[in-house]
Amino acid sequence: MTDSHAENDRPAVPHEAGRYAYDGLDRTIHEKARLGILTSLAAHPGGLLFGDLKDLCSLTDGNLSRHLQTLQEAGLVEVWKRIQHKRPQTLCRLTDLGRKRLLEYIGELERVVADAAAAAQQAQAWSPAQTASRGLPPSLRPGWSPG
């Protein structure tokens, strides 16, 4: 879809290539269940038994097993097994690398939150004239319709 007026109608975008890409948001950690697992293990340095970790994260056995496998393959957690009272037990612990990467990830999340808060405050402080000059009209110009 081309429009000879499209260039004039585009909102102004600051020339900060990739400013909000947040490359530090590691996909292995960013997934909700895995973030919960890592956070739970970080709060329990001695590790957690599989059942306790499952309850803390509200996961099924199979789901927790699969996420632990992914985290273990990435070197972020270690899994120990033993037999006690003729029953198998599984202990999960955060590795040193896992703790380091989780802290780096949290630092990146803090940058995301700070950027979002600053952008929201800046947008709220714009006058109508500033808003229009940045290509973000206070009300939509004629020709725009809901997508």
Side-chain angles (χ1 to χ4, degrees):
M1 178 159 117
T2 60
D3 184 347
S4 61
H5 300 289
E7 286 297 317
N8 297 333
D9 291 341
R10 283 194 188 145
V13 177
H15 295 286
E16 300 178 62
R19 172 66 183 98
Y20 298 107
Y22 303 112
D23 292 331
L25 292 180
D26 183 327
R27 294 190 88 134
T28 301
I29 297 171
H30 194 68
E31 200 285 327
K32 178 184 169 191
R34 290 193 289 262
L35 180 58
I37 292 166
L38 292 172
T39 303
S40 297
L41 294 176
H44 297 87
L48 286 166
L49 292 175
F50 186 92
D52 295 333
L53 185 57
K54 180 180 87 165
D55 291 342
L56 281 171
C57 297
S58 296
L59 297 170
T60 63
D61 287 357
N63 205 309
L64 178 56
S65 291
R66 181 64 188 112
H67 287 299
L68 283 172
Q69 181 182 5
T70 299
L71 293 168
Q72 191 174 14
E73 289 169 359
L76 304 179
V77 299
E78 56 188 16
V79 176
W80 297 85
K81 296 189 180 269
R82 74 174 180 182
I83 303 291
Q84 185 172 22
H85 307 293
K86 299 182 182 182
R87 295 188 56 132
Q89 283 191 325
T90 302
L91 178 73
C92 307
R93 292 183 50 195
L94 197 58
T95 63
D96 290 340
L97 174 63
R99 187 170 307 283
K100 177 182 179 278
R101 295 235 335 251
L102 179 62
L103 290 173
E104 290 169 353
Y105 175 85
I106 291 168
E108 189 72 4
L109 279 180
E110 288 172 343
R111 283 187 286 285
V112 170
V113 171
D115 283 349
Q121 286 178 337
Q122 185 180 18
Q124 198 171 33
W126 286 351
S127 69
Q130 287 173 314
T131 302
S133 72
R134 291 190 173 139
L136 302 169
S139 59
L140 292 175
R141 293 181 199 145
W144 287 96
S145 62

